[in-house]
Amino acid sequence: MDSLNANIAQLSLQEEPEFWGNYSDLYHTLSTAEIQFIEAAILARRLGQFQKAREILDLELPPSHILPVLALERSNLETRVNHERTCHDVLDLALSSQSQWRETSGREVQLLSLRSIESRLEAYGSARAALQAARGIRDEWDDLPMKHWSSVEVGCALTYYSIIGVCNQRTNWVDCDSDLSFPRAESVRSLAPMEEFLEFLLESQRWGPALSLLRILVEYLEGNAKLFPYQKFISMCEASARLGSKPATLSFIDARLFLAMMMSQDLEMVVEAKQQLEEINAYMDTIDWIFPEHLQRRMLRRLEIDAYPPSALEPVNELITLAATSQSDGDSLMEIQILSRILHRMNQVDFLQRDDAWTATQKNVLSRHSELQSDLRGRALLVTAPLWRFANTLDKSAGRAGEYLQRFAKFQMEYPDFDLPTVQRDLFRAAANALHSLGRDDEAQIYEARKIVALSNCPLDPSQFFRVYRDKPFDDWAPYVMGFILNWINLDLEAGNISIDQVARMLLIGEETSDLSQNVRPVVPLNRLVEDSLLRPPEIIANRLIGMPDPVEYDEWGARFERFEIWLLDSPKTVERWIRHTILGDFQRVRCVAVRKHVQRATDDLAKLGNEELQLDVRLLKQAENIRLLELVRRLDRKAMGAAEHDIESQAWVCMSEWTQLATSFRAFKTGFIKDSHLDDAQRFFERSFVEAKTNDLTRKLASLSQVSLLQRQRYTLFGTVASDACLDTFMTYSQIYMQERVARSVLKGSDNIMAGTNIVSQWSFSNHYDLAMGMIVEALGVGHVRNNYHRTIHQDMQFKPTAAPNIRRTPQMLFSELVDWTQSKKARSVTEALGAELIITPNVLSCAGLDDNARELLHREAEYQMQINNNQGDQEALARMLEKIRQEMRNCSGLMQLMDLRDGRALTESQIHSFAQRLGPDVLIVDYLYLPQAFTGMSCQIVPMIYKRGKLASCHFVTQLSHEILQRWVRTHILDEEIREPFSGDGDPSALQYLYPLIDAAVKFSEPGNTILICPTDILFNIPFHAIELSDGEPWIHRNPIVYTQSLSIQQLCHVSASAADSSEPVKPLAVQALSDEDLASPNAAEMAFASRIHANLLKGQDLTKESFLAACTESRLIHFYGHVCYDDQKPLDQHLAIRDLDAERVTVRELFDLRLRSGTHVNLIGCQSGRSQIGLNDDLLGFSTAFLYAGAASIVTALWSIHMEDAAAFQEAFYDEVITQSRQSMTQRESEAEAPKALNLALALQKAVLTIRLDSAGRPRAPYHWAAFLMQGCWDLFPLLDM
């Protein structure tokens, strides 16, 4: 008591005290002392110390009936301990004592009246009267805006929603469209007024009422949707709690406990629930005013114990302690819940293990449990609970029928106004069964009739009524759906609304009267249909009707279904129309599932036989069923499950998608089943679906566009009714939406960002998206053969020419530019965007950009929002919206457009490639390889090298000699074959490389000796060492030209930006890492790293080298050289790693490298086996060491394409740094002689000379390509600073 008063005593010292009570607006009727006492009582109640709260209210405050605020708080206490009758008496006494109130108002009377209605509903179960009274008060409510509501208005609305919630759970008398609005108002969605009220409470930081409303609101939600409102509440409440608000702190804890409780009830979220409990426990440890005996701690421990297996006895003793604590605090509700858990666990014990201690414990627990139940002064539902349990034993022990009837009669006398139909239904059923067992059939019929009336008033809520089957797969629906139909047939038979002959015709029973009596009779209540003993007959009937496993013919099924349709549209009268229509729709869905399974099975069988005619027939049957279901759903009651607008849309989507699939069938087109009108309707549907999709519904938007593009392509190919370039606009819109989502996710860091990009590709992109666009461009240019090839296949006439398609809108030059743009967009898409999103705009870049004040202000505001998001401050959704708004302003800002293109990871356009090529200089030749799959062009030639020279496209032609299939086979044979440990190590291997010369023929012709060649491969070409291909003079290409590789030209540009952004005034600080194990170092072939001292590198090796020291040193150096083992894993690309002294604990994974942050312009030499190999994902996305280091900030990297010998690696690195040192010294000498000297190293030249050096043996003879061709470079080669010699 002292601790409570100590907390409250500070109220008088605060300028603006924060109250615990929900009705603080009524405190003006109290003295300062009375306020302190009532606050102490409320805090005691909130902490579960109900006995202390009662003492304060009884001893320290005036009688509750003379002040509304006292009556309200007293009623809150009685409600919390389940004394609803006492609560009702308190409120009624207060209402009858209005003349004694110090002050009064109409609003306070309304609030007390609503609370009295609510308590009577809970205490006596009189739902209809409560609902009518609550509606009456709601209809009298004036139009006071919600923003002006006091705590009294808030209390009225909250109590009203509570009454509606109870009635909605137990009856079907609630009209959600009108009853879920306080005050009464029109609303588009039933829950919108409640959600608006919740927003108001949260914004005004009324945490207690908001939490109470949350518990009501989630009862209208399903599944994980229940969790989201709690998560939002917790997020907002936590911010207030951090500022020291104790009421917010307690509400924050209570909400997290409720959230954990809901999670623990979902088997898939048990782990998350346990994590929640651990976090709550840790949080409460930091609160010095919440003690172990308080309610929150008791509830936490109870939830922790619930996580034990049901049969575990370990927590029983602790549960007994919790029950005792609850008893001492007067918390009878918590106590009876805990005692029930104890009895449940004890009943799991095997009979042979039940000793005297077990018997004594059970006896004590049962005694206390019975005592609590006999003293229930609270909710009527709790009073009926023992009656329910007794009724459930009647089937097993008919001799107890008389005792049940006595108990039931007593209950009816004590609760004459009890009218909750969900309870009445079961009590009346039990009474009828009991009377039947006693031979009193006439009396039993009375309760049978009452049971049917109660049944008609039961809430047939989707979350309860249909849960018995709707949570299951479609395959399992049939017996449940038929079970409901059989039960309703019984209702109509009893009411005389249907004859036995009509039933026989509906069920196709005919003369089988034994079947009829077995499967239809006797009457069975709905909640018993799920019992195993009753599943078999409905399943048999359902399968016979719909045809399982082989569906009956479409026309025959139509006649059968029509009989059910006619009956269920209007019968039985005791079942709501929308419920009947739900079952009607579900019955047709069961049929559709049967057809789909039949189609799949038949298609698989027929595919083996190659019978396309029958394959088409079964697919047409499937489409006919889809159309039937769509037509039916459009006729059903809109309240029916599966008949809402989104359900109609979903079914229409299925039908229209099937037209898209059928259009791929040669026979469907040839026989005229598929018409252009079908595809036109489908295209219009998906175009409308795209327009109507919500802004954040990316899945629907992108899926709609993908369907539109496919239909446009099919209409061009089959009918020639659209132009060949029509789908290009659709593809462009698709790509723009994808880019917006990718940019929105740019707040992610490191490996999370990379995986987010990969996930977007897999979730929202059909993988051939870019190929389709490029294929249609080739078709529009007149060199593709897709349409001609299709029609020749159909008509088997080589001279046949299909109808000319409409003229294209684009010129050849426009088409070619788009082809280049799509090529760049495809290459390394998600990695390009991830690199862009992580680009750090350094002061160097900003100074070069010459930004104005507006641009700098936008950058500053963006950084502030980004920091708040990273630190998890404030409303994350609102911050994300503001961040996107700022970034859109930045994209429209002329000074930031180029930077934002880089930041957004936008692929280079044709004009930007020309500009980039010009910046690289006249001595650089760009060779950008394009792969056009034959399936999208109809052409056998698929590889196209696009060559840029002096900023212009110099050549673009197909490689006719080498198809993609041939190249795949070559790479697998010569490089990727696991049995090949040393590629190109034999005498004949150089000729194998010469076989690939057609790939570089054009590039050789357009280049001069000494020109730097920048190669951008694609697909399988990433595995080819182009620089090792022999020229006509027998020398490898690298002998003639320095050669650099890049994943895409967009990434190459980013590498140059990174190198340009480096601060030239900062020292390079070279880092050399000798990562071999002690055993490897003992080998005579191990490198001595002699170069390290010559370039003044920090050498990390031996005991000084750990993962931590390596990663730390990497962030400080601009030149990183790693020499050691690299472990490649094609299946788990993010888990492949750099081996540090062969110690498992010291491995550095690719995932960790993605999270690394290097200095701008860093160069990396990664000398290890297969360090240059990457997993090639969708759209040329590469995941490997090269990508990771580039992402981390490197501007260039040298790697090895295959496994290498230690002596080759050692020789290469020494030769590489010899050339680096030579270039640095030559530049220094030239500067001293005042001659014009290079300002940066030429790393491409250093790589060329190193490769050519190790290519020759000690006698000057060429060695096999295996020894030298593995080494290659990616990235920027001409901006790395000279070393200080």
Side-chain angles (χ1 to χ4, degrees):
M1 187 70 176
D2 294 338
S3 62
L4 289 170
N5 285 333
N7 278 309
I8 301 304
Q10 309 214 358
L11 287 171
S12 59
L13 303 178
Q14 299 177 14
E15 294 181 4
E16 295 183 4
E18 188 174 26
F19 295 111
W20 292 97
N22 291 339
Y23 305 109
S24 56
D25 290 342
L26 300 179
Y27 283 1
H28 65 278
T29 61
L30 301 173
S31 67
T32 302
E34 288 172 338
I35 292 175
Q36 291 183 5
F37 282 122
I38 198 170
E39 282 286 293
I42 296 169
L43 177 56
R45 171 173 59 81
R46 292 286 304 275
L47 292 175
Q49 297 177 297
F50 303 112
Q51 197 59 40
K52 292 183 178 179
R54 191 178 300 281
E55 291 174 4
I56 297 172
L57 292 174
D58 287 343
L59 302 177
E60 307 294 346
L61 289 164
S64 57
H65 65 276
I66 69 170
L67 282 175
V69 65
L70 296 179
L72 289 167
E73 292 302 346
R74 166 70 76 170
S75 68
N76 286 341
L77 174 62
E78 301 299 348
T79 294
R80 182 56 187 80
V81 295
N82 269 330
H83 292 175
E84 284 291 355
R85 284 198 177 184
T86 306
C87 171
H88 181 258
D89 293 343
V90 167
L91 293 166
D92 270 7
L93 179 60
L95 284 169
S96 64
S97 305
Q98 295 182 39
S99 60
Q100 301 179 40
W101 292 0
R102 297 177 186 174
E103 295 182 25
T104 183
S105 73
R107 278 285 192 264
E108 293 164 19
V109 173
Q110 286 179 319
L111 175 55
L112 286 169
S113 298
L114 281 167
R115 284 288 290 119
S116 177
I117 294 167
E118 180 187 26
S119 63
R120 181 169 182 79
L121 169 61
E122 295 287 359
Y124 298 99
S126 50
R128 193 179 292 277
L131 186 59
Q132 291 173 349
R135 285 170 175 167
I137 292 177
R138 178 202 61 188
D139 293 342
E140 295 172 2
W141 197 265
D142 57 32
D143 295 330
L144 179 68
M146 190 179 293
K147 64 181 179 180
H148 298 310
W149 281 10
S150 69
S151 58
V152 177
E153 282 84 9
V154 167
C156 287
L158 196 58
T159 308
Y160 172 82
Y161 282 127
S162 177
I163 295 169
I164 299 298
V166 173
C167 292
N168 187 61
Q169 288 179 348
R170 300 291 175 180
T171 76
N172 61 11
W173 303 330
V174 172
D175 182 352
C176 289
D177 290 337
S178 62
D179 286 332
L180 292 184
S181 178
F182 187 90
R184 188 164 190 167
E186 295 297 326
S187 177
V188 178
R189 292 188 308 110
S190 300
L191 295 180
M194 288 182 70
E195 293 169 349
E196 180 187 357
F197 184 32
L198 180 61
E199 286 292 331
F200 164 70
L201 295 177
L202 292 175
E203 290 174 4
S204 56
Q205 298 188 1
R206 304 186 191 206
W207 307 117
L211 188 55
S212 299
L213 183 63
L214 261 183
R215 296 171 190 169
I216 300 170
L217 176 63
V218 296
E219 293 301 323
Y220 296 91
L221 304 177
E222 285 294 316
N224 288 341
K226 291 176 176 284
L227 306 181
F228 301 144
Y230 271 100
Q231 291 166 342
K232 181 176 182 179
F233 174 90
I234 288 168
S235 175
M236 296 184 69
C237 191
E238 183 180 16
S240 186
R242 286 179 175 175
L243 298 176
S245 168
K246 287 187 176 182
T249 299
L250 202 56
S251 295
F252 171 71
I253 294 171
D254 288 343
R256 292 201 66 175
L257 287 168
F258 278 108
L259 181 64
M261 182 171 62
M262 286 193 294
M263 286 180 168
S264 65
Q265 294 167 358
D266 186 341
L267 293 177
E268 296 181 358
M269 302 191 73
V270 171
V271 175
E272 291 89 338
K274 290 181 179 179
Q275 182 179 349
Q276 281 276 343
L277 294 175
E278 291 173 2
E279 293 174 0
I280 298 168
N281 192 27
Y283 181 78
M284 282 199 283
D285 285 342
T286 67
I287 309 299
D288 58 6
W289 46 274
I290 296 182
F291 302 111
E293 66 272 13
H294 288 161
L295 174 64
Q296 287 70 23
R297 287 287 192 184
R298 297 202 304 270
M299 187 174 177
L300 172 67
R301 189 59 193 134
R302 196 199 78 194
L303 290 173
E304 290 174 339
I305 292 172
D306 285 346
Y308 281 81
S311 60
L313 283 177
E314 296 91 335
V316 166
N317 289 334
E318 190 166 354
L319 283 171
I320 291 174
T321 303
L322 284 176
T325 306
S326 300
Q327 181 180 359
S328 64
D329 281 330
D331 190 355
S332 57
L333 179 61
M334 174 75 79
E335 184 183 2
I336 200 168
Q337 290 174 344
I338 294 172
L339 293 175
S340 298
R341 282 168 168 76
I342 295 173
L343 292 172
H344 176 73
R345 288 184 179 277
M346 296 188 73
N347 288 335
Q348 304 297 317
V349 176
D350 188 272
F351 282 99
L352 297 177
Q353 298 178 356
R354 298 183 179 185
D355 54 15
D356 292 341
W358 181 93
T359 304
T361 303
Q362 188 198 43
K363 181 179 179 181
N364 292 334
V365 172
L366 279 172
S367 174
R368 178 58 181 165
H369 193 268
S370 300
E371 179 184 343
L372 285 172
Q373 285 195 328
S374 63
D375 189 36
L376 287 171
R377 291 170 287 167
R379 294 173 172 84
L381 287 176
L382 293 180
V383 177
T384 61
L387 200 56
W388 293 346
R389 284 192 288 272
F390 189 85
N392 289 331
T393 66
L394 294 183
D395 293 338
K396 302 174 184 177
S397 177
R400 305 182 70 186
E403 184 179 350
Y404 171 77
L405 292 173
Q406 289 178 358
R407 291 190 180 192
F408 181 48
K410 181 181 178 182
F411 170 77
Q412 288 183 303
M413 290 180 62
E414 291 182 1
Y415 295 89
D417 297 328
F418 186 90
D419 60 0
L420 294 175
T422 53
V423 183
Q424 285 182 323
R425 175 194 61 197
D426 295 327
L427 297 181
F428 291 153
R429 171 186 59 82
N433 290 343
L435 289 166
H436 277 304
S437 67
L438 296 174
R440 296 155 62 180
D441 294 337
D442 291 340
E443 294 177 69
Q445 288 302 320
I446 297 173
Y447 285 104
E448 290 280 12
R450 291 182 180 177
K451 179 199 71 175
I452 292 176
V453 173
L455 182 63
S456 67
N457 290 321
C458 282
L460 299 179
D461 182 71
S463 64
Q464 299 173 16
F465 186 74
F466 293 114
R467 184 171 290 171
V468 293
Y469 70 89
R470 275 188 163 263
D471 288 345
K472 300 177 182 293
F474 277 119
D475 295 355
D476 299 335
W477 282 23
Y480 296 97
V481 172
M482 183 52 66
F484 286 121
I485 291 175
L486 293 179
N487 191 70
W488 295 344
I489 287 174
N490 280 310
L491 294 177
D492 257 18
L493 281 171
E494 288 202 347
N497 296 328
I498 191 171
S499 69
I500 202 77
D501 292 335
Q502 289 175 298
V503 174
R505 285 196 298 274
M506 274 200 301
L507 301 182
L508 297 178
I509 294 172
E511 299 301 322
E512 303 171 24
T513 53
S514 59
D515 256 357
L516 184 63
S517 60
Q518 176 186 353
N519 293 325
V520 180
R521 307 290 294 178
V523 176
V524 180
L526 297 178
N527 66 331
R528 298 286 300 281
L529 281 172
V530 296
E531 295 182 6
D532 292 341
S533 61
L534 294 173
L535 286 183
R536 185 66 178 168
E539 184 174 23
I540 293 174
I541 296 177
N543 288 345
R544 181 170 53 189
L545 283 169
I546 64 177
M548 283 283 283
D550 298 320
V552 296
E553 292 297 326
Y554 175 74
D555 292 340
E556 183 181 346
W557 161 249
R560 294 182 185 182
F561 183 75
E562 187 175 356
R563 291 194 288 270
F564 276 98
E565 187 176 357
I566 293 172
W567 177 65
L568 283 172
L569 283 174
D570 296 303
S571 298
K573 301 298 183 182
T574 52
V575 179
E576 280 194 85
R577 184 171 184 267
W578 74 270
I579 296 295
R580 299 194 307 269
H581 287 200
T582 297
I583 291 295
L584 183 60
D586 287 351
F587 196 41
Q588 175 63 27
R589 284 185 175 85
V590 168
R591 158 73 176 184
C592 285
V593 171
V595 171
R596 288 189 193 119
K597 292 175 69 175
H598 171 68
V599 167
Q600 185 60 51
R601 186 173 62 254
T603 303
D604 292 343
D605 294 341
L606 294 170
K608 299 174 184 177
L609 302 174
N611 191 326
E612 185 190 348
E613 183 173 344
L614 290 178
Q615 288 183 46
L616 178 62
D617 288 342
V618 294
R619 289 177 65 184
L620 296 184
L621 174 62
K622 173 183 174 183
Q623 179 66 338
E625 295 297 336
N626 289 333
I627 294 171
R628 174 187 285 280
L629 178 57
L630 176 60
E631 292 173 350
L632 172 67
V633 170
R634 284 173 172 162
R635 295 201 308 272
L636 297 181
D637 190 304
R638 284 295 162 264
K639 292 182 180 180
M641 294 186 68
E645 286 299 327
H646 72 273
D647 295 301
I648 297 175
E649 187 80 3
S650 298
Q651 185 57 33
W653 188 290
V654 171
C655 292
M656 299 305 172
S657 300
E658 188 63 26
W659 285 126
T660 310
Q661 294 300 315
L662 285 170
T664 63
S665 167
F666 286 109
R667 187 170 177 275
F669 171 69
K670 189 173 182 179
T671 58
F673 181 81
I674 286 291
K675 296 181 173 59
D676 183 61
S677 58
H678 295 144
L679 303 188
D680 183 41
D681 289 343
Q683 180 180 328
R684 293 174 187 274
F685 168 80
F686 288 117
E687 287 172 344
R688 186 175 67 254
S689 176
F690 168 76
V691 172
E692 293 174 355
K694 294 180 180 178
T695 305
N696 60 350
D697 191 355
L698 291 176
T699 301
R700 180 178 172 187
K701 279 186 172 293
L702 296 179
S704 299
L705 288 174
S706 70
Q707 290 287 338
V708 170
S709 62
L710 288 172
L711 288 161
Q712 288 172 326
R713 187 172 187 266
Q714 288 169 335
R715 295 184 67 197
Y716 161 76
T717 304
L718 273 60
F719 304 104
T721 50
V722 298
S724 53
D725 65 338
C727 59
L728 297 181
D729 292 330
T730 307
F731 286 135
M732 183 57 67
T733 305
Y734 182 102
S735 185
Q736 290 170 351
I737 293 175
Y738 167 85
M739 183 65 71
Q740 291 171 6
E741 172 64 10
R742 191 66 194 85
V743 172
R745 295 191 178 200
S746 66
V747 295
L748 299 173
K749 302 296 179 183
S751 56
D752 292 334
N753 199 332
I754 289 295
M755 293 316 295
T758 303
N759 289 339
I760 293 175
V761 172
S762 61
Q763 289 174 8
W764 288 319
S765 167
F766 51 111
S767 59
N768 56 13
H769 166 68
Y770 291 92
D771 294 329
L772 276 169
M774 291 187 289
M776 293 310 295
I777 291 175
V778 171
E779 191 81 6
L781 285 168
V783 294
H785 304 303
V786 172
R787 188 160 186 246
N788 286 334
N789 288 351
Y790 183 89
H791 286 276
R792 285 170 183 166
T793 303
I794 289 291
H795 296 277
Q796 299 179 351
D797 181 1
M798 297 301 292
Q799 302 303 316
F800 176 82
K801 291 186 178 181
T803 306
N807 293 330
I808 61 175
R809 295 182 292 107
R810 294 165 170 80
T811 65
Q813 182 57 45
M814 293 167 62
L815 288 168
F816 190 80
S817 295
E818 288 193 38
L819 179 63
V820 174
D821 294 348
W822 281 109
T823 302
Q824 297 306 313
S825 295
K826 173 183 176 180
K827 287 194 170 187
R829 178 173 63 169
S830 67
V831 174
T832 302
E833 293 148 5
L835 282 165
E838 285 298 309
L839 179 67
I840 299 172
I841 303 180
T842 63
N844 255 4
V845 174
L846 292 179
S847 61
C848 295
L851 302 181
D852 56 26
D853 292 340
N854 180 44
R856 293 179 183 278
E857 173 63 21
L858 288 171
L859 283 169
H860 177 70
R861 287 166 59 194
E862 184 208 29
E864 286 186 339
Y865 285 123
Q866 186 71 73
M867 183 179 298
Q868 291 181 53
I869 289 176
N870 293 343
N871 294 336
N872 216 11
Q873 300 172 353
D875 185 342
Q876 295 290 293
E877 292 183 8
L879 288 172
R881 288 194 296 270
M882 292 302 300
L883 183 61
E884 176 54 32
K885 183 178 178 181
I886 291 294
R887 285 179 173 169
Q888 194 55 52
E889 291 182 35
M890 293 167 68
R891 294 183 190 101
N892 297 330
C893 176
S894 58
L896 291 173
M897 283 183 180
Q898 186 175 2
L899 289 176
M900 289 306 294
D901 279 348
L902 292 174
R903 284 274 300 281
D904 290 348
R906 299 188 186 279
L908 295 180
T909 63
E910 183 191 23
S911 60
Q912 289 172 333
I913 292 175
H914 292 166
S915 300
F916 180 57
Q918 286 179 335
R919 288 198 300 273
L920 292 178
D923 296 330
V924 177
L925 189 81
I926 298 176
V927 187
D928 190 14
Y929 287 93
L930 169 63
Y931 166 48
L932 296 172
Q934 184 176 3
F936 305 112
T937 64
M939 304 169 62
S940 57
C941 305
Q942 301 152 58
I943 304 298
V944 183
M946 305 180 72
I947 299 174
Y948 298 90
K949 184 176 183 180
R950 293 186 174 89
K952 295 182 180 180
L953 182 67
S955 173
C956 176
H957 70 282
F958 285 93
V959 177
T960 57
Q961 302 93 322
L962 299 173
S963 68
H964 184 263
E965 183 180 355
I966 291 173
L967 289 170
Q968 278 186 316
R969 189 163 55 247
W970 186 94
V971 169
R972 284 196 297 267
T973 302
H974 294 282
I975 299 178
L976 299 184
D977 192 328
E978 294 181 358
E979 296 182 2
I980 300 177
R981 297 186 178 276
E982 299 181 356
F984 313 111
S985 58
D987 294 336
D989 282 338
S991 61
L993 285 165
Q994 192 176 21
Y995 179 75
L996 302 178
Y997 183 78
L999 289 174
I1000 67 169
D1001 181 36
V1004 173
K1005 290 178 181 177
F1006 281 94
S1007 64
E1008 302 293 335
N1011 287 165
T1012 300
I1013 311 296
L1014 177 61
I1015 297 177
C1016 181
T1018 184
D1019 198 69
I1020 197 67
L1021 303 187
F1022 279 111
N1023 294 292
I1024 293 177
F1026 286 85
H1027 58 283
I1029 298 175
E1030 284 192 6
L1031 306 184
S1032 58
D1033 59 2
E1035 296 290 345
W1037 194 10
I1038 197 170
H1039 183 271
R1040 180 178 184 268
N1041 300 95
I1043 294 177
V1044 180
Y1045 296 81
T1046 184
Q1047 293 182 21
S1048 74
L1049 296 182
S1050 300
I1051 288 182
Q1052 187 68 22
Q1053 184 189 44
L1054 287 167
C1055 290
H1056 280 261
V1057 170
S1058 175
S1060 302
D1063 189 343
S1064 57
S1065 64
E1066 293 184 358
V1068 173
K1069 296 182 180 179
L1071 170 67
V1073 179
Q1074 168 66 284
L1076 297 178
S1077 65
D1078 294 339
E1079 182 180 352
D1080 287 330
L1081 289 174
S1083 169
N1085 296 323
E1088 297 180 358
M1089 310 287 282
F1091 70 87
S1093 60
R1094 293 191 291 144
I1095 64 172
H1096 311 299
N1098 171 26
L1099 180 59
L1100 274 180
K1101 64 178 183 178
Q1103 299 299 320
D1104 294 334
L1105 176 60
T1106 63
K1107 177 200 287 192
E1108 184 179 359
S1109 64
F1110 169 71
L1111 294 176
C1114 284
T1115 61
E1116 298 177 359
S1117 174
R1118 270 196 67 188
L1119 175 57
I1120 301 170
H1121 184 94
F1122 178 92
Y1123 173 72
H1125 293 302
V1126 175
C1127 299
Y1128 174 76
D1129 186 342
D1130 186 50
Q1131 301 302 313
K1132 299 179 180 179
L1134 290 180
D1135 293 332
Q1136 53 193 343
H1137 60 274
L1138 305 178
I1140 304 292
R1141 297 165 40 223
D1142 278 354
L1143 300 175
D1144 290 346
E1146 304 298 333
R1147 292 175 176 176
V1148 179
T1149 65
V1150 167
R1151 189 184 303 274
E1152 290 168 317
L1153 293 174
F1154 270 116
D1155 296 327
L1156 191 62
R1157 285 295 165 265
L1158 303 178
R1159 292 168 57 187
S1160 294
T1162 295
H1163 173 76
V1164 179
N1165 278 350
L1166 195 58
I1167 310 302
C1169 296
Q1170 297 182 303
S1171 58
R1173 281 195 63 185
S1174 297
Q1175 182 200 56
I1176 305 174
L1178 294 172
N1179 304 311
D1180 282 355
D1181 285 341
L1182 301 184
L1183 282 180
F1185 292 101
S1186 300
T1187 304
F1189 273 109
L1190 291 175
Y1191 185 94
S1196 54
I1197 182 170
V1198 172
T1199 55
L1201 196 55
W1202 51 70
S1203 297
I1204 53 177
H1205 289 168
M1206 279 196 290
E1207 57 267 32
D1208 293 331
F1212 170 80
Q1213 62 190 19
E1214 293 296 338
F1216 180 85
Y1217 287 106
D1218 281 346
E1219 175 60 21
V1220 168
I1221 292 170
T1222 298
Q1223 290 185 31
S1224 298
R1225 285 177 174 168
Q1226 287 177 349
S1227 177
M1228 185 184 301
T1229 302
Q1230 291 172 355
R1231 286 199 302 271
E1232 290 175 353
S1233 62
E1234 299 183 356
E1236 185 175 349
K1239 298 180 180 179
L1241 292 172
N1242 187 327
L1243 297 176
L1245 185 61
L1247 179 97
Q1248 180 194 33
K1249 293 196 174 183
V1251 166
L1252 295 178
T1253 298
I1254 67 171
R1255 177 173 174 258
L1256 303 177
D1257 62 15
S1258 57
R1261 294 186 298 268
R1263 304 166 73 202
Y1266 164 74
H1267 298 283
W1268 53 269
F1271 300 102
L1272 52 84
M1273 167 185 270
Q1274 294 185 50
C1276 178
W1277 67 89
D1278 58 350
L1279 293 177
F1280 193 82
L1282 298 159
L1283 299 186
D1284 186 2
M1285 294 290 103

